[in-house]
Amino acid sequence: MSVVKNALPEADLKVVGDALQGALVDLVDLSLVSKQVHWNVVGPRFRSVHLQLDEVVTAARTHSDVVAERAAALGITPDGRAATVASASAITDVPEGWVRDVDAVRILVDALGTVITRMRERIAVTDEPDPVTQDILIALTGELEKHHWMFAAESA
């Protein structure tokens, strides 16, 4: 049951809904992974990596809200429950315990790379059905790519 009516044809709504739901899952998991690493990072670059991780958390949380609200505006129920995120995310698990700063950087480069790849796929499939959703995905991918670049530069 949808409480919101929109102008998108049913087939387009399915494509857009899948893209938004996938983006939501990836962003929620990215925020969780980043925060987990943030709490456990150790090493000589602790402070800079610690602060940089918080920037990723903030970006992921902000964009997850935008994505979820876009879905709701289209009559799609966003699902950010833990079980949904755990079953649908492509980000690899974070190791338990303390994380060396060099490993924290690698974890974030990998996580961001995974999310960016999936976001670019969503950008491509939402081009025709809903350019408004595509614009949202483009903007958030641009910010994620900036964070990816900054973490990748830490490991160069």
Side-chain angles (χ1 to χ4, degrees), residues 11-146:
D12 289 350
L13 191 60
K14 169 81 171 111
V15 169
V16 172
D18 289 348
L20 288 167
Q21 180 58 39
L24 179 61
V25 162
D26 284 350
L27 291 166
V28 169
D29 200 25
L30 180 62
S31 73
L32 294 171
V33 164
S34 300
K35 200 49 129 167
Q36 180 66 26
V37 174
H38 167 89
W39 292 324
N40 291 290
V41 66
V42 295
R45 294 183 301 165
F46 163 81
R47 182 163 170 72
S48 65
V49 173
H50 184 80
L51 295 173
Q52 198 172 357
L53 286 161
D54 261 346
E55 292 175 11
V56 174
V57 171
T58 299
R61 288 179 178 170
T62 299
H63 288 296
S64 66
D65 198 45
V66 171
V67 165
E69 289 176 355
R70 176 64 183 159
L74 293 173
I76 302 158
T77 307
D79 187 355
R81 297 173 298 160
T84 302
V85 173
S87 68
S89 177
I91 299 173
T92 57
D93 288 338
V94 175
E96 186 177 331
W98 301 116
V99 180
R100 301 274 317 147
D101 51 6
V102 294
D103 295 327
V105 168
R106 180 192 43 76
I107 289 166
L108 261 292
V109 167
D110 292 348
L112 285 161
T114 297
V115 172
I116 289 164
T117 297
R118 289 167 48 116
M119 289 299 179
R120 286 188 160 276
E121 292 166 0
R122 294 177 186 117
I123 289 168
V125 300
T126 56
D127 177 34
E128 286 295 319
D130 188 23
V132 175
T133 294
Q134 185 190 45
D135 283 350
I136 291 169
L137 297 174
I138 289 169
L140 75 88
T141 302
E143 187 167 354
L144 295 178
E145 287 177 340
K146 177 187 82 173

